[in-house]
DNA sequence: CAGATGTCAGAAATACTGATATGG
DNA sequence: CCCATATCAGTAGTTCTGACATCT
């Protein structure tokens, strides 16, 4: 390591390794969820609804990092498959809070177990303390980009 | 924190925070590169060619985590803008190795500086040693998913 | 022959933009 | 009035799938 002259190997760039890890995780999740007839977006939607019942479509979209339009299609598909219910009329304001059906709860439990296995495989080279630290550091990094540009 | 019964908060899931960080980085890079008239895919392509001249289109695609078809469109666009050159006939096999033009080198240098600032902002809450550790851990995590499922 | 590559075409999912309407 | 929401429509960029030819 000479003097950090500004030339950084691609594999040493945080952005690159972050993208690499996220891409690998995405591929692994796709493969794991395919036998369960769920896409990653559908799984994320189900998991969100299961953990925070009553979320609006816009909140689901933000939580799953997709557009409102895409999430709208996802929720409709899950409704058609009987995994999600949404009231037809708004009880408060314009929000139509989504909830899991009984089958939806079964499905998300199975999917969650499968995804958890993938996450554990990804974390397998790290010690338990390093795993926890990784979660915290990634959270801090995301917050540093979202909140504090000039603030 | 009671007993870790298998119910994990969404914000504690590695997959979620990883996606969160990657998504925030993507958004920040988009905003940073827009004034330079570059998309993230175009920047990744230029950076790859700059650091490893002579890469084939398929190698570029793998390196940028996109499909060969998408990378093909990206390279063509960069060729039309005079940032990239590719021989019309293959000198060896079927590969048409891409290289940066003089203007391409200028453009990628400016873009690289801008992206590096974003990366530094993302890493700002972390100490120097923690930054290096994060890079290594992410690399290990990606490798754990790519290489070693059952093999 | 197997394997990697470059290329083309169609289908599908997603995102972006703009517009409209409703409710706080 | 301002803002967030839900929804619809059109456009565009990306991926996936399959296919074919070329070269090692």
């Amino acid at each position: 390591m000479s003097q950090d002259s500004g030339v950084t190997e691609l594999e040493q760039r945080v952005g690159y390794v972050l993208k690499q890890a996220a891409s690998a995780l995405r591929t692994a999740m796709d493969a794991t969820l395919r036998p369960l007839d769920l896409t990653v977006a559908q799984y994320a939607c189900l998991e969100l609804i299961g953990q925070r019942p009553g979320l609006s479509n816009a909140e689901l979209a933000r939580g799953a990092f997709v557009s409102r339009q895409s999430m709208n299609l996802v929720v409709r598909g899950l409704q058609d498959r009987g995994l999600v219910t949404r009231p037809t009329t708004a009880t408060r304001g314009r929000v139509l809070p989504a909830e899991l059906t009984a089958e939806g709860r079964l499905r998300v439990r199975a999917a969650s177990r499968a995804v958890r296995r993938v996450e554990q495989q990804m974390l397998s080279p790290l010690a338990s303390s390093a795993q926890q630290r990784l979660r915290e550091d990634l959270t801090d990094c995301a917050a540093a980009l979202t909140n504090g540009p000039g603030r």
Side-chain angles (χ1 to χ4, degrees), chain A:
Chain A
M1 47 212 70
S2 39
Q3 44 156 332
D4 223 9
S5 60
V7 179
T8 312
E9 269 308 314
L10 207 53
E11 286 81 3
Q12 282 294 312
R13 298 280 292 267
V14 192
Y16 192 77
V17 294
L18 180 58
K19 175 69 180 176
Q20 199 171 15
S23 178
L25 177 62
R26 171 80 183 211
T27 301
M29 284 179 63
D30 270 326
T32 300
L33 291 172
R34 182 163 302 125
L36 300 175
D37 274 311
L38 288 177
T39 66
V40 174
Q42 288 168 342
Y43 162 70
C45 178
L46 290 177
E47 188 80 61
L48 274 165
I49 298 177
Q51 290 204 20
R52 302 217 247 295
L55 284 189
S56 72
N57 179 63
E59 292 168 320
L60 286 175
R62 280 192 296 269
F65 310 105
V66 299
S67 64
R68 281 182 299 178
Q69 292 83 345
S70 297
M71 182 52 74
N72 213 333
L73 297 178
V74 170
V75 173
R76 281 191 201 175
L78 294 175
Q79 275 182 281
D80 294 345
R81 289 168 62 182
L83 304 179
V84 163
T85 324
R86 226 167 23 153
T88 51
T89 66
T91 60
R92 195 190 78 251
R94 292 217 70 194
V95 298
L96 305 172
E99 288 184 11
L100 295 183
T101 63
E103 172 157 0
R105 277 187 289 274
L106 286 179
R107 193 71 73 102
V108 73
R109 278 189 53 193
S112 200
R113 274 193 296 267
V115 170
R116 228 175 284 258
R117 276 193 295 271
V118 172
E119 290 178 330
Q120 285 176 359
Q121 180 188 335
M122 182 177 75
L123 291 175
S124 60
L126 271 53
S128 177
S129 60
Q131 296 181 8
Q132 180 58 27
R133 193 173 48 216
L134 178 64
R135 280 188 281 264
E136 295 168 355
D137 287 354
L138 284 175
T139 303
D140 292 345
C141 285
L145 284 178
T146 308
N147 308 326
R151 178 173 323 176

